[in-house]
Amino acid sequence: MPISLADIVANLPSDESWGPPTTTDALVGGVPYAPYSKGDKLGRMADWTTEGKDREGRGGRQQYNRNYKDQQVYGAGTSSLFAVQVAEDESSFSVVDNTRTSTKSRGFGRGGATFIRGRGRGGRDQRGGRGTFQRVGQRGGQQNGYYDNRGGRGGRGGRRFGGWKDYDKPQRNRDSSVNIKPDWHMLEEIDFNRLAKLNLETSTGEDIDSYGFLYYYDRAFDRPPVKNNERKLNVVDRVAYNVTTSQDPIINELAEKDEATIFATDNILSMLMCAPRSVYSWDIVITRTGNKIFLDKRDGSSLDMVSVNENAADAPLEASEGNKDSINFPGALALEATFINHNFVNQTVIESDTSKYEMPHENPFYNPSEETEALASKAYKYRRFDLSLEKDEDPLHLIVRIELDAVVKNNISGEDQLLVIKALNEFDHKAQGSGGALDWRTKLTSQRGAVVATEMKNNSCKLARWTVQSILASADVMKLGFVSRTTPKAADRHVILGVMGYDPRKFAEQMNLNLSNGWGIVRTIIDMVRGMKDGKYVLVKDPNKSLLRLYEVPAGTFEEEDDGAQEEITEEGAE
């Protein structure tokens, strides 16, 4: 019996809606709800990279998720209610033919390299040629070696060029050198790109006064060590002072005499002048009192430590970043390098009371009535630099305290030459964070230039600071020692492999170090502080970004910490 349209209309539901009945099981407040297991971890709200078959096996985010499997996705414990079922013909479709070819790969030339597209094990069975070129992304132990874009074999000592995978590495989150407190007020934020464009020509400076004494350098360290008879780095206990600017009695006297407007030490000033090369966080305390500005460091500041491979492409990792070798943490390496530098200077001089270079005044920080330890070879010079501009009504002078380590007789003229002595250290050229460094024991003599060039790359900031300090001191020679561990696992035993001498100004040219840019940075920061009221300010290098931040802080900041540390020392002495 045919059904009329009127009968169909008459049988429609009488309510306003039509279709399947609505259930309330999957609704929460009228909103569709996807149930999940209580054991699921709440992670990303949405992850568009975990699905999609065309990304599997090609690295990218899928490669990242295989390396970090502990990162859970919301609702991973149950099947998604909203997953779209892809038809079979769509999933098998691919623009590029990715079917596996025969085992015979096509080569070119005699013993030429073979190109492989997939993510195979790396041509372990391939023969001849300079090696098998392959996409980076496999584990290094499954292939013959990494290769650079020139076709040469990289291996462990070769260079591994970053490519499309490097963008996927998790960004490192380093800690700030100082705890930023809520009552600190940020005044300025300066990007390194702006700092790199600054420029200020200034004079070579003039000496105001000199203090301390210097021993003569032992030229025996300039000769290469005899085979199988390495020189050990010995612990030489000598007293050396690292007094901050505002606690220096000589600087306070010069400030009272109105000899300059700005006061600093070479350690602090070099960090500010080389700021664009820095990676790790650091901070400088700036105090303005009237028209005087003092650049200070905190007790235990990172400025007192010697960093290791700070500028390396793959710098040493922290424990939280997966480094299981505690002696190769950045902090442990910095302590080791600082220890090496202190002892290396004391070991490379000839201590003699009858043959030493005396300055006009004695060491200003040594009190013979209270201290009995022997003094280290150290001279302090107070030098003045003119930072004035043509538009300035009054001259703007800076006084900096610089340090010299030794003196040596010139072979030709016989005149005394002033030295700055520093030491580079090798921890393990095969370990993570070595930055592709060569083995110093085998390459320092035959490939000296390559060793120094690698150190310029991995320790650009540290070497630039040392060079600036040498130029500020008007030193004739900068001696660089090369110190290595006795064994890679022994961080407390070292050997001296060699010493090289450089003219600081020529060394600066090799490093592409521009002192005029450094003076421009100093003048810019000083002009900022001069435009503010009297008080205390802190300049902080951001730990994870290439920028500086200037904070205004309360007057008593850092003083409570210093008092607390002194009280603890007093209590320990009383016990």
Side-chain angles (χ1 to χ4, degrees):
M1 178 179 177
I3 301 175
S4 64
L5 181 60
D7 295 337
I8 296 175
V9 174
N11 291 328
L12 292 175
S14 59
D15 51 2
E16 296 179 356
S17 63
W18 61 277
T22 303
T23 61
T24 59
D25 295 340
L27 296 179
V28 175
V31 179
Y33 172 68
Y36 64 95
S37 172
K38 292 183 178 180
D40 286 345
K41 294 181 180 180
L42 298 182
R44 304 184 182 92
M45 179 177 291
D47 188 353
W48 312 112
T49 63
T50 57
E51 298 177 2
K53 296 182 179 180
D54 60 328
R55 292 186 64 86
E56 292 184 0
R58 297 180 57 187
R61 286 286 175 185
Q62 195 70 13
Q63 180 79 8
Y64 175 85
N65 288 330
R66 284 200 300 271
N67 295 334
Y68 299 88
K69 295 180 180 179
D70 58 333
Q71 298 184 4
Q72 299 293 330
V73 181
Y74 175 82
T78 60
S79 59
S80 175
L81 298 179
F82 309 106
V84 178
Q85 299 297 329
V86 183
E88 291 184 1
D89 57 341
E90 293 182 5
S91 61
S92 61
F93 175 76
S94 177
V95 176
V96 181
D97 181 15
N98 56 7
T99 58
R100 188 178 297 275
T101 59
S102 62
T103 57
K104 292 184 178 180
S105 301
R106 185 178 62 178
F108 63 93
R110 180 178 179 182
T114 305
F115 288 85
I116 300 177
R117 297 189 62 86
R119 60 177 190 92
R121 287 184 174 268
R124 178 181 297 177
D125 298 327
Q126 304 291 338
R127 298 181 56 191
R130 291 178 294 173
T132 303
F133 286 73
Q134 188 169 350
R135 291 179 185 265
V136 179
Q138 306 86 330
R139 290 185 294 178
Q142 294 180 345
Q143 62 180 18
N144 290 336
Y146 293 109
Y147 294 83
D148 58 22
N149 57 1
R150 297 173 299 173
R153 173 162 179 166
R156 183 176 293 276
R159 296 192 300 169
R160 177 181 174 182
F161 282 76
W164 52 268
K165 185 186 174 185
D166 285 348
Y167 83 95
D168 220 6
K169 290 182 179 179
Q171 183 180 2
R172 295 186 181 181
N173 291 317
R174 298 184 174 94
D175 295 330
S176 177
S177 62
V178 62
N179 184 22
I180 308 298
K181 297 183 178 179
D183 56 348
W184 292 15
H185 177 55
M186 190 179 74
L187 303 176
E188 294 286 347
E189 193 172 82
I190 314 160
D191 188 79
F192 280 3
N193 291 331
R194 291 170 54 191
L195 296 179
K197 299 176 182 178
L198 301 174
N199 188 63
L200 175 63
E201 297 291 341
T202 184
S203 61
T204 57
E206 59 176 338
D207 292 347
I208 297 178
D209 222 336
S210 302
Y211 296 79
F213 67 91
L214 295 172
Y215 288 127
Y216 279 88
Y217 173 74
D218 188 357
R219 289 186 178 272
F221 286 90
D222 289 339
R223 295 191 292 269
V226 180
K227 189 175 182 180
N228 299 327
N229 188 19
E230 296 175 331
R231 287 187 289 257
K232 294 183 178 180
L233 179 69
N234 301 322
V235 177
V236 184
D237 289 331
R238 296 292 181 268
V239 178
Y241 298 91
N242 189 12
V243 182
T244 188
T245 308
S246 57
Q247 297 178 0
D248 188 325
I250 308 302
I251 286 182
N252 289 328
E253 291 179 7
L254 296 174
E256 292 177 0
K257 295 178 182 178
D258 204 16
E259 293 286 345
T261 304
I262 313 155
F263 301 89
T265 65
D266 59 347
N267 188 25
I268 300 170
L269 192 64
S270 64
M271 185 74 260
L272 187 57
M273 295 177 72
C274 301
R277 294 175 182 254
S278 62
V279 176
Y280 294 155
S281 179
W282 49 268
D283 58 276
I284 296 175
V285 182
I286 305 175
T287 306
R288 176 175 179 181
T289 306
N291 66 334
K292 301 292 188 298
I293 297 175
F294 295 87
L295 305 181
D296 280 301
K297 64 176 182 63
R298 298 179 296 106
D299 287 342
S301 170
S302 59
L303 297 179
D304 295 333
M305 308 301 292
V306 180
S307 64
V308 177
N309 286 6
E310 175 180 355
N311 301 94
D314 189 18
L317 296 173
E318 295 281 3
S320 58
E321 297 171 322
N323 190 354
K324 298 180 181 180
D325 201 354
S326 59
I327 63 174
N328 292 335
F329 292 163
L333 291 173
L335 283 172
E336 181 183 354
T338 306
F339 165 83
I340 289 173
N341 272 270
H342 175 72
N343 289 285
F344 180 76
V345 175
N346 297 330
Q347 186 173 345
T348 54
V349 295
I350 304 173
E351 295 186 353
S352 173
D353 293 335
T354 59
S355 177
K356 61 181 180 180
Y357 188 84
E358 295 277 2
M359 294 295 175
H361 305 282
E362 295 182 352
N363 192 313
F365 313 116
Y366 182 72
N367 188 352
S369 61
E370 297 180 357
E371 302 178 73
T372 58
E373 294 88 350
L375 274 173
S377 172
K378 193 74 67 174
Y380 304 94
K381 278 190 175 184
Y382 295 84
R383 310 193 73 233
R384 178 164 49 201
F385 295 87
D386 187 3
L387 304 184
S388 305
L389 300 175
E390 295 181 357
K391 64 178 181 180
D392 294 338
E393 297 179 358
D394 298 324
L396 184 66
H397 290 119
L398 178 146
I399 289 181
V400 56
R401 184 192 75 216
I402 58 90
E403 298 180 6
L404 294 165
D405 298 307
V407 66
V408 67
K409 292 283 187 182
N410 187 289
N411 288 330
I412 300 176
S413 63
E415 298 179 353
D416 290 326
Q417 292 183 321
L418 302 176
L419 304 182
V420 171
I421 302 176
K422 302 294 181 181
L424 295 165
N425 62 298
E426 176 192 44
F427 56 98
D428 185 0
H429 69 279
K430 297 180 181 180
Q432 186 279 328
S434 62
L438 302 175
D439 183 6
W440 288 3
R441 279 178 169 82
T442 59
K443 304 297 183 183
L444 186 60
T445 304
S446 60
Q447 300 183 26
R448 180 173 300 186
V451 171
V452 176
T454 304
E455 291 303 308
M456 285 184 179
K457 178 189 69 173
N458 294 336
N459 294 287
S460 174
C461 182
K462 176 171 69 176
L463 284 173
R465 289 185 62 194
W466 290 349
T467 307
V468 168
Q469 292 173 20
S470 302
I471 296 176
L472 291 177
S474 190
D476 299 294
V477 180
M478 179 177 67
K479 292 285 186 179
L480 287 181
F482 292 82
V483 180
S484 178
R485 292 177 181 174
T486 306
T487 59
K489 298 299 181 182
D492 56 345
R493 297 191 299 273
H494 303 85
V495 293
I496 302 173
L497 301 179
V499 181
M500 302 182 193
Y502 296 94
D503 184 336
R505 294 148 197 84
K506 294 182 179 178
F507 196 77
E509 294 177 358
Q510 294 179 19
M511 291 192 64
N512 196 23
L513 176 62
N514 186 4
L515 253 69
S516 299
N517 173 246
W519 287 121
I521 295 173
V522 174
R523 176 64 197 247
T524 301
I525 300 299
I526 294 302
D527 286 345
M528 289 182 182
V529 178
R530 291 175 71 194
M532 300 170 185
K533 60 183 180 180
D534 288 4
K536 183 176 287 188
Y537 305 88
V538 179
L539 184 68
V540 182
K541 157 69 172 67
D542 188 280
N544 302 306
K545 298 179 181 178
S546 299
L547 53 85
L548 302 177
R549 292 190 178 94
L550 182 63
Y551 294 90
E552 181 182 6
V553 301
T557 306
F558 306 128
E559 295 179 2
E560 297 177 358
E561 299 176 2
D562 297 342
D563 294 341
Q566 292 178 0
E567 291 177 2
E568 291 180 2
I569 296 173
T570 305
E571 291 176 358
E572 291 177 358
E575 293 176 358

